[in-house]
């Protein structure tokens, strides 16, 4: 667990930093009711990501891929931001957070009010036809029977998220590199940091001289190798306490 001193330490680091950037992962949205990928109860315990999450499966066996996508959409589409998302939005509004690089496809940072969000793995909120490109809100895609088809051309459809076997959008990659390289404090929130290239962002920040701080109930491969310290607690709880301290420090 963490102490009040940990919270105060991070609040001070944020206030004194020149440029703060956050990298968020699935743990960020756990308090919004969305399960993680790895670990107990994670999505990858049920579905082999290399099969169900691969672009070739979506193209050639969409009925299989859509079993998992349906489960993801049912968790993600009704979800609301939690206290952690709102705390990050407040930090940005106070001019104390430059950007969020997120691996999450739930769009909750935007909903919470953050403006500068880099969606590294795309977004599940919209779905596009793989043949004609027609895009529609994912909420409008009928999930019975599976797989859904394009309403215009009956082609296979794909949520606008990045699948295994697909490249990271160039713009997201370029902007993330720039943010990681130019920050002096990176908050790494709720990610196991094992999926590259997103996982290289804390390493890039650290190599450029930044302090890297993790917020995660569990240690990760970054802990004490790349990160300077970890606040071991849930993101929503920790971030709202940190932002309350930041406000006190700013008077
Ligand atoms: P993981 O599922 O690998 O890791 C989730 C992390 O969240 C773990 O380190 C948990 O300890 C932590 N965690 C759990 N509850 C938390 C809480 N309440 N607050 C804070 N942290 C908590 O998820 P990611 O690292 O995001 O890729 O996974 C990265 C990528 O792997 C995903 O973007 C996805 C997947 O394959 C694609 O979809 C392309």
């Amino acid at each position: 667990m963490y102490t009040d001193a940990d919270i105060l330490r991070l609040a001070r680091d944020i206030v004194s930093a020149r440029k703060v950037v956050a990298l968020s992962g699935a743990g960020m949205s756990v308090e919004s009711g969305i399960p993680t990928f790895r670990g107990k109860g994670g999505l990858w315990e049920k579905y082999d990501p290399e099969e169900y999450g691969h672009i070739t499966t979506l193209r050639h066996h969409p009925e299989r891929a859509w079993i998992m996508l349906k489960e993801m959409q049912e968790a993600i589409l009704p979800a609301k931001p939690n206290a952690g998302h709102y705390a990050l939005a407040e930090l940005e509004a106070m001019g104390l957070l430059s950007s969020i690089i997120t691996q999450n496809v739930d769009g909750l940072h935007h909903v919470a009010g953050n403006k500068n969000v880099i969606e590294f793995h795309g977004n599940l909120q919209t779905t596009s036809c793989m043949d004609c490109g027609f895009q529609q809100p994912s909420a409008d895609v009928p999930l019975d029977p599976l797989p859904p088809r394009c309403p215009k051309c009956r082609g296979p459809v794909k949520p606008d998220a990045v699948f295994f076997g697909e490249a990271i959008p160039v713009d997201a990659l370029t902007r993330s590199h720039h943010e990681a390289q130019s920050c002096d404090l990176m908050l790494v929130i709720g990610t196991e940091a094992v999926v590259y290239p997103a996982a290289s962002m804390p390493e890039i920040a650290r190599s450029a001289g930044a302090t890297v701080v993790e917020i995660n109930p569990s240690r990760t491969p970054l802990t004490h190798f790349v990160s300077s310290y970890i606040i071991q607690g849930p993101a929503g709880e920790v971030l709202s306490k940190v932002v309350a301290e930041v406000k006190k420090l700013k008077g």
Side-chain angles (χ1 to χ4, degrees):
M1 275 311 280
Y2 62 90
T3 63
D4 289 348
D6 294 325
I7 300 290
L8 190 55
R9 181 181 184 185
L10 180 53
R12 285 194 174 126
D13 282 346
I14 290 172
V15 170
S16 60
R18 180 181 44 77
K19 176 169 177 171
V20 184
V21 168
L23 170 70
S24 67
M28 181 83 221
S29 298
V30 162
E31 288 148 274
S32 296
I34 302 174
T36 59
F37 294 96
R38 290 164 195 81
K40 212 168 166 291
L43 200 66
W44 298 153
E45 216 174 44
K46 263 167 94 177
Y47 301 105
D48 174 1
E50 285 295 324
E51 185 191 352
Y52 285 84
H54 205 282
I55 188 68
T56 15
T57 309
L58 192 57
R59 189 161 264 292
H60 299 295
H61 301 284
E63 68 293 345
R64 283 189 84 70
W66 271 96
I67 294 173
M68 181 197 71
L69 289 171
K70 181 178 178 191
E71 186 169 327
M72 280 180 82
Q73 292 209 344
E74 283 170 352
I76 285 177
L77 295 183
K80 302 269 180 291
N82 64 55
H85 295 103
Y86 288 118
L88 291 180
E90 278 196 82
L91 274 187
E92 190 189 82
M94 286 188 271
L96 294 173
L97 179 65
S98 170
S99 60
I100 302 174
I101 304 165
T102 188
Q103 298 164 88
N104 298 343
V105 293
D106 54 34
L108 291 181
H109 288 301
H110 277 300
V111 179
N114 278 96
K115 305 275 181 269
N116 199 5
V117 182
I118 303 170
E119 292 186 316
F120 209 82
H121 290 159
N123 195 311
L124 215 71
Q125 302 288 338
T126 53
T127 294
S128 296
C129 175
M130 293 168 85
D131 286 345
C132 76
F134 175 74
Q135 191 186 55
Q136 57 184 324
S138 298
D140 293 352
V141 175
L143 295 178
D144 187 22
L146 292 180
R149 294 268 163 203
C150 174
K152 300 273 178 212
C153 76
R154 308 301 301 155
V157 295
K158 170 190 172 296
D160 294 327
V162 176
F163 282 67
F164 286 98
E166 284 193 302
I168 304 298
V170 175
D171 180 55
L173 199 55
T174 314
R175 286 169 64 208
S176 300
H177 262 272
H178 175 263
E179 289 299 282
Q181 234 153 16
S182 58
C183 69
D184 62 346
L185 177 63
M186 178 175 275
L187 311 179
V188 179
I189 308 162
T191 176
E192 202 55 33
V194 291
V195 175
Y196 284 83
S200 64
M201 297 306 150
E203 293 163 11
I204 292 170
R206 178 65 191 254
S207 305
T211 301
V212 175
V213 181
E214 286 180 274
I215 299 172
N216 196 314
S218 310
R219 289 163 181 243
T220 76
L222 298 182
T223 312
H224 303 314
F225 290 100
V226 176
S227 62
S228 302
Y229 60 98
I230 175 168
I231 301 190
Q232 276 195 256
E237 183 185 303
V238 168
L239 283 167
S240 32
K241 287 184 180 179
V242 168
V243 170
E245 279 306 325
V246 165
K247 284 181 183 163
K248 281 193 219 160
L249 290 172
K250 294 293 278 181

